[in-house]
Amino acid sequence: MSYVEDPGPGYGSLPPRAAFASDAASLSLSGTWRFRLSPTADFERDGFDDSAWDELPVPSMWQLHGYGKPAYTNVHYPFPVDPPHVPSDNPTGDHRRRFDLPAAWPAGPAVLRFDGIDSCARIWLNGVELGVTKGSRLPSEFEVGPLLRPRDNVLAVRVHQWSAGSYLEDQDMWWLSGIFRDVTLLARPAGGIEDYWLRADYDHTTGLGTVRVETDADVLLDIPELGVSAHPAGLALEVPVEPWSAESPRLYDGTLSTMAERVPVRIGFRTVTIDDGQLKVNGRRLLLRGVNRHEHHPRTGRAVPRDVALADVLLMKRHNVNAVRTSHYPPDPAFLELCDEYGLWVIDECDLETHGFGPLEWRGNPSAEPTWADAYLDRMRRTVERDKNRPSVILWSLGNESHTGPNLKRMAEWTRHRDPTRPVHYEGDHECSYVDVHSRMYATHAEVESIGLRSDPNERRRDLPFLLCEYGHAMGNGPGGLLEYRELFERYPNCQGGFVWEWLDHGLAAGDHFAYGGDFGEPIHDGNFVIDGLVFPDRTPSPGLVEYAKIIEPVRIEADADAIRVSNHYDVVSTAHLTFTWVLEDEGIAVAEGVLDVPTVQSGQSVSVPFPRLPATGGESWLTVSASLTSPSSWAPGGHVVGWGQLPVSPARVTERPARRGPVFRTAGRLLLGIGEFEPATGRLTTLGGHPVQGPRLDVWRATTDNDRAESAEGWREAGLYRLQHRVITVDADGDDLVVRTRVAPPALASGLLADYTWTSLGDRLQLRVEITPDGLEGTLPRLGLTMAVPGALGTAEWFGAGPGEAYPDSRQAARIGRFSRSVDGLQTPYVFPQENGNRADARWLRLTDAEGTGLHVEGDPVFDFTARRWTSADLEAARHTPDLVAGELVHLTLDVAQHGLGSASCGPGVLPRYRLVAQKTEFTLRFGVAN
Ligand code: IPT
């Protein structure tokens, strides 16, 4: 059997060991290589002439450099399921790199290290075969010392896109190939440090850290800051220390040295335990406010440079994320160093997923087949050995979606034996027979609640800490319902949070837009299911991330009876590093501000502080209190806000509406009322204060979201809600009111809605009261309100209401009450797959103006939701990529009384009952005027 189809782990590599750098000589072999996509005879030979070959950067993934194409599938293998066989048409990239040794390169042993090659490679140095490696997201090293020469070494690497290993690497992501992580040559001095395990525990009852180095070498440990010098390996040493946590990532710099080599180490003292059925670190219960992170960049795929990894870490920290599951493979080692340094709890997951056997009822699944046992264990060993020195790693995960079987059990047993200091996670062990924590994905709120109540008949599972390794599917507009998960995590001590799926949209840059599955002509693909992150492909935060940041804020500020309640939701630290400031806004305009005196609040505690002395205000006013970093931290500047709350101070002034009402005029075939003119036959407003408009009409449709399409959209479509027709029953003057009665219904169906519009002139304003009565229509509606169109010149929106971002009933915690201004274009959220977006909630009033500042004014009674777009909902629904949305001549406005929630049904629970918009008799009022 060819090595490509051998289910084993490969051959020739050195035993796995920790990732570390030392003062021994090293040479990066990343850079420009020679490349050819098609196996070439004798290419590994020393004297082979590659001058006619292309150049390719390493690290890279060749499909993103024009060789072949990316392909996306979620669950399905893109090749026949015939393990361990793979297609004979197997894209094969031959890579060659020549290099000279630096002048001072020492003679003796040396190791060639590959941090990641997707999916299988056979490697030669100077014409001599080193071996074969599989396990794409895992390192492999080869002994090369005797083969090296001072000049003109030739490294030849043949990479196969498909291999037996591909059956174990069916993660939900792009199929991409190549040498996508660093390649390094490392001198290995005799008497140097081959491997080490620096175990640094912390006893929270004594405040003492215990450090012990396990290694075969004759190593001495120095930690100058702790007064530790020349401490011999193997001996435990106790010292008083500050512990490491994600919130206070205290690292002590030290050195491991032998006569021949020095290794700088960064030591974080912490101890992970499970007691009382809770996962604890340093004696503290954790609440995991996590995300699942795939490695992806829109131009380089899974070749993610350190600065991008750092940008992810900073963005996570600035959005209150405290944990990462490295879905579904160990990340580039640099990422974990950053997690140590900046502070994130990590579930380090092995490179394993066999999801494509699921649709085949798991027949032949490698997890249960002895032929794959070695490959499974090899992957786990390489994960644990590589990352064992990282304090940020608190759980090992066996992999994802690989069902269950003895091979997984063996991985767990090996791991627990090798590293008793970290619990083992794997969601697929549903009985929890070989894992240490109970993990689920996409469990509903009700299921989490029942787990919290410990009503599980399975005793073993019931008594374990519980976490959601995936929840809150962030595909498109959403997720909704995160608040209710947080409430459960706070109510039940064994429910310790979870990891939103997922951090990043895996869109690939394609000129003016981002591509997703199917855009490369893949015969089998899963479309935009790969666009399900909290940040857009270019790492711009989506509204979902802004919402999540608010929900998981570590400090909560709420109204208490006549006071302000400040609660500390950190797991460990107090609020001593925070400054509390307040601002009083009168109709969104700041009128007073100050610093709030808040005593230091310990983790898990709260205090009530009196309101500051506030001046009187005339209109609706709110007090906003923010908690921000007093001084810069490693991950954010001073002043960065970690939590905030708003408290109502005084309600809107009730103003007497002018009694003067204008009469309805019908003259010379025209229908006039106050500042409005109407079409006599239909009663539709055509002019408002001189501005031509397509007057407001009942509308219930929204461009379906990914979540809608998985739950309600089919029913909405069957009910014809996207193509309602308006039948005008009567247009009558009733006293001073203009009353337009209509029935709004879809073709071919008998059900519909009755809509009565009552227009009243209030001098300089027109009041519209709408009464809606379902007429045989049942079930939920996408939204309920009006649609109208105004001239495109009215390109700026200013409103007093919730903002600044979009908000929906079950995703609105991040919106605060204030006065905001955006261009119409700036109101749009550019979801990679276009869909409903941009709804601003609870507007008290809205001004839409042109460059001169004149335009229209809409007032709620008391509030309304709105969107403003240069295209219709139908255009938005039809678009597949952002450039499909082309600005027209009008601004289309929706003015709504309600929106249906978002939910998370694209993968997970739908809209919670309280956020469903059920068709029922509704009445609402708006007032229209002229802005100038
Ligand atoms: C779950 C996968 O674990 C994850 O990788 C991703 O594919 C996610 O779904 C959907 O985006 S598995 C699913 C069967 C719940």
Side-chain angles (χ1 to χ4, degrees):
M1 182 184 287
S2 145
Y3 65 91
V4 173
E5 296 188 326
D6 184 332
Y11 57 82
S13 58
L14 293 165
R17 61 182 187 130
F20 63 89
S22 80
D23 66 348
S26 73
L27 176 67
S28 167
L29 296 176
S30 299
T32 305
W33 291 44
R34 290 285 181 176
F35 177 75
R36 192 150 187 251
L37 184 67
S38 80
T40 306
D42 296 336
F43 94 109
E44 74 278 10
R45 274 213 338 250
D46 234 357
F48 180 86
D49 179 8
D50 61 19
S51 57
W53 284 24
D54 294 347
E55 291 188 332
L56 183 78
V58 167
S60 70
M61 313 211 79
W62 68 61
Q63 289 87 351
L64 301 179
H65 290 265
Y67 304 95
K69 288 183 175 165
Y72 166 60
T73 61
N74 170 11
V75 172
H76 292 284
Y77 291 105
F79 47 77
V81 185
D82 180 18
H85 305 292
V86 295
S88 308
D89 292 334
N90 189 357
T92 298
D94 283 344
H95 296 68
R96 285 173 57 93
R97 158 87 196 216
R98 309 182 100 85
F99 62 94
D100 297 339
L101 294 179
W105 192 267
V111 158
L112 183 62
R113 178 180 179 95
F114 294 88
D115 282 322
I117 304 177
D118 199 325
S119 80
C120 167
R122 189 172 180 191
I123 302 157
W124 296 262
L125 182 66
N126 296 333
V128 178
E129 182 180 357
L130 303 179
V132 162
T133 178
K134 287 174 216 164
S136 298
R137 277 68 71 171
L138 290 162
S140 42
E141 291 184 316
F142 300 89
E143 175 57 53
V144 294
L147 300 175
L148 289 171
R149 52 198 182 211
R151 303 195 65 76
D152 216 18
N153 293 280
V154 179
L155 180 56
V157 184
R158 171 164 291 171
V159 182
H160 305 273
Q161 169 151 14
W162 309 120
S163 68
S166 305
Y167 283 97
L168 309 186
E169 296 175 5
D170 189 26
Q171 291 94 340
D172 177 8
M173 61 192 192
W174 293 99
W175 295 97
L176 294 169
S177 329
I179 307 174
F180 72 99
R181 288 183 186 161
D182 284 329
V183 184
T184 318
L185 181 68
L186 305 157
R188 299 302 318 133
I193 302 169
E194 290 314 312
D195 191 11
Y196 70 90
W197 190 354
L198 199 157
R199 295 163 72 149
D201 301 324
Y202 180 74
D203 182 342
H204 68 278
T205 61
T206 60
L208 294 176
T210 304
V211 59
R212 190 159 61 98
V213 185
E214 289 179 12
T215 176
D216 288 341
D218 213 356
V219 161
L220 296 177
L221 168 67
D222 288 280
I223 318 171
E225 222 185 317
L226 292 174
V228 175
S229 108
H231 179 75
L235 287 185
L237 173 77
E238 262 192 359
V239 263
V241 293
E242 290 170 43
W244 186 96
S245 71
E247 291 166 5
S248 177
R250 180 69 161 96
L251 292 174
Y252 292 88
D253 285 320
T255 322
L256 288 177
S257 47
T258 65
M259 297 300 279
E261 187 173 21
R262 282 166 67 86
V263 175
V265 290
R266 310 200 76 188
I267 308 163
F269 291 87
R270 95 276 173 283
T271 292
V272 186
T273 53
I274 293 181
D275 43 64
D276 300 335
Q278 291 176 36
L279 176 68
K280 295 181 182 173
V281 176
N282 302 335
R284 299 284 191 148
R285 169 193 184 248
L286 298 189
L287 204 161
L288 299 164
R289 297 157 242 224
V291 294
N292 281 278
R293 177 180 181 267
H294 263 287
E295 299 205 298
H296 176 79
H297 185 278
R299 299 192 180 278
T300 57
R302 278 186 296 282
V304 172
R306 185 187 170 95
D307 61 316
V308 175
L310 174 60
D312 277 349
V313 168
L314 297 180
L315 207 51
M316 288 174 189
K317 294 288 291 183
R318 289 175 190 167
H319 288 85
N320 299 329
V321 168
N322 73 355
V324 174
R325 171 177 179 233
T326 68
S327 54
H328 302 298
Y329 41 81
D332 188 287
F335 178 74
L336 295 181
E337 288 170 25
L338 295 166
C339 291
D340 284 358
E341 183 177 342
Y342 292 90
L344 286 165
W345 308 114
V346 175
I347 300 187
D348 193 1
E349 192 149 276
C350 185
D351 190 1
L352 178 68
E353 174 157 343
T354 65
H355 211 161
F357 287 86
L360 310 172
E361 275 123 33
W362 300 106
R363 273 191 307 275
N365 180 32
S367 302
E369 299 290 330
T371 45
W372 297 91
D374 286 353
Y376 273 58
L377 196 54
D378 169 73
R379 284 168 186 253
M380 199 65 209
R381 287 182 62 204
R382 285 156 75 190
T383 302
V384 172
E385 297 299 349
R386 192 193 78 165
D387 295 338
K388 57 185 181 269
N389 289 311
R390 301 273 76 92
S392 53
V393 174
I394 55 164
L395 293 172
W396 298 116
S397 178
L398 307 181
N400 185 60
E401 288 287 2
S402 302
H403 200 234
T404 190
N407 297 339
L408 286 157
K409 181 161 188 271
R410 194 156 150 255
M411 286 165 100
E413 283 163 357
W414 178 88
T415 303
R416 213 174 281 115
H417 182 252
R418 174 67 177 136
D419 179 10
T421 72
R422 294 175 176 104
V424 173
H425 166 275
Y426 174 59
E427 184 271 347
D429 175 17
H430 294 173
E431 306 300 313
C432 294
S433 61
Y434 51 86
V435 294
D436 302 313
V437 294
H438 180 201
S439 175
R440 287 282 309 275
M441 43 173 78
Y442 309 104
T444 62
H445 300 85
E447 288 173 293
V448 174
E449 170 123 60
S450 86
I451 293 167
L453 290 167
R454 295 190 183 273
S455 52
D456 192 337
N458 176 326
E459 275 179 41
R460 154 117 187 116
R461 193 168 57 197
R462 182 187 65 206
D463 295 334
L464 295 180
F466 174 70
L467 59 88
L468 285 163
C469 66
E470 295 176 23
Y471 80 117
H473 198 248
M475 186 180 187
N477 190 346
L482 292 177
L483 176 66
E484 288 73 14
Y485 280 112
R486 182 191 80 190
E487 289 168 357
L488 293 165
F489 301 153
E490 290 179 355
R491 190 171 316 138
Y492 300 108
N494 60 323
C495 296
Q496 296 194 251
F499 298 79
V500 166
W501 185 269
E502 68 177 304
W503 174 242
L504 175 73
D505 285 345
H506 310 205
L508 288 171
D512 58 357
H513 68 279
F514 293 108
Y516 49 77
D519 287 346
F520 299 95
E522 304 104 290
I524 154 172
H525 67 82
D526 288 294
N528 64 322
F529 213 66
V530 77
I531 305 293
D532 54 1
L534 290 172
V535 299
F536 294 118
D538 62 2
R539 293 181 156 78
T540 306
S542 81
L545 180 61
V546 178
E547 175 76 1
Y548 192 39
K550 175 68 179 145
I551 285 178
I552 59 177
E553 62 188 359
V555 174
R556 208 164 301 145
I557 299 161
E558 295 153 309
D560 209 350
D562 292 326
I564 302 167
R565 184 165 203 80
V566 176
S567 318
N568 178 339
H569 288 268
Y570 284 109
D571 296 327
V572 180
V573 301
S574 76
T575 57
H577 63 298
L578 301 175
T579 297
F580 292 79
T581 51
W582 60 266
V583 56
L584 177 69
E585 288 175 331
D586 188 3
E587 242 191 69
I589 308 249
V591 291
E593 57 184 43
V595 173
L596 192 70
D597 197 12
V598 178
T600 297
V601 190
Q602 300 303 321
S603 157
Q605 306 292 307
S606 57
V607 295
S608 259
V609 293
F611 269 72
R613 184 183 289 277
L614 301 176
T617 48
E620 178 180 343
S621 62
W622 288 79
L623 183 71
T624 307
V625 179
S626 305
S628 56
L629 300 179
T630 306
S631 349
S633 72
S634 62
W635 47 268
H640 168 82
V641 173
V642 303
W644 57 269
Q646 277 195 310
L647 299 83
V649 173
S650 63
R653 194 177 10 196
V654 188
T655 44
E656 283 303 311
R657 295 283 159 219
R660 186 171 57 86
R661 299 186 158 214
V664 178
F665 288 107
R666 277 185 194 270
T667 58
R670 297 175 69 188
L671 179 58
L672 304 165
L673 174 67
I675 59 167
E677 171 155 9
F678 296 77
E679 198 179 64
T682 63
R684 192 161 181 199
L685 183 72
T686 55
T687 313
L688 184 61
H691 298 276
V693 301
Q694 291 172 16
R697 291 209 296 188
L698 178 71
D699 186 24
V700 301
W701 192 249
R702 71 181 180 195
T704 52
T705 64
D706 293 308
N707 289 316
D708 288 342
R709 281 190 292 280
E711 188 183 23
S712 309
E714 209 180 302
W716 293 342
R717 207 167 272 285
E718 277 166 15
L721 302 181
Y722 65 107
R723 52 179 184 190
L724 300 180
Q725 298 177 7
H726 299 252
R727 179 170 67 84
V728 178
I729 304 169
T730 54
V731 179
D732 282 326
D734 176 4
D736 286 344
D737 293 338
L738 173 66
V739 179
V740 182
R741 292 186 202 285
T742 68
R743 186 171 187 279
V744 184
L749 296 176
S751 55
L753 298 151
L754 298 169
D756 292 350
Y757 307 79
T758 304
W759 291 94
T760 311
S761 171
L762 304 174
D764 59 357
R765 280 168 303 176
L766 266 187
Q767 173 171 289
L768 169 62
R769 196 174 83 243
V770 187
E771 285 174 67
I772 298 160
T773 314
D775 185 16
L777 197 79
E778 284 171 1
T780 61
L781 304 173
R783 44 173 274 266
L784 183 58
L786 305 169
T787 297
M788 68 183 287
V790 301
L794 306 187
T796 303
E798 191 192 0
W799 73 101
F800 175 47
E806 66 183 39
Y808 291 83
D810 54 355
S811 175
R812 53 163 308 146
Q813 300 307 307
R816 62 189 171 84
I817 303 304
R819 190 186 287 227
F820 307 100
S821 175
R822 288 282 185 282
S823 67
V824 167
D825 302 319
L827 288 171
Q828 317 308 313
T829 305
Y831 290 111
V832 169
F833 187 94
Q835 53 197 281
E836 161 66 28
N837 71 83
N839 185 62
R840 297 317 194 266
D842 286 349
R844 281 72 169 152
W845 54 254
L846 161 70
R847 282 163 53 93
L848 265 182
T849 52
D850 62 15
E852 273 76 56
T854 65
L856 300 175
H857 189 274
V858 188
E859 214 178 277
D861 190 7
V863 296
F864 62 98
D865 283 17
F866 75 91
T867 68
R869 316 185 167 107
R870 296 192 180 278
W871 38 79
T872 63
S873 300
D875 297 333
L876 191 53
E877 176 92 59
R880 289 294 168 266
H881 296 94
T882 47
D884 297 343
L885 293 168
V886 180
E889 284 178 0
L890 300 172
V891 168
H892 301 271
L893 265 185
T894 62
L895 304 168
D896 290 342
V897 61
Q899 281 262 358
H900 188 67
L902 298 174
S904 186
S906 55
C907 188
V911 176
L912 287 169
R914 80 191 76 152
Y915 301 122
R916 291 188 190 140
L917 172 57
V918 178
Q920 56 189 301
K921 195 168 165 49
T922 309
E923 191 185 305
F924 63 99
T925 300
L926 296 171
R927 282 181 283 275
F928 296 87
V930 174
N932 43 34

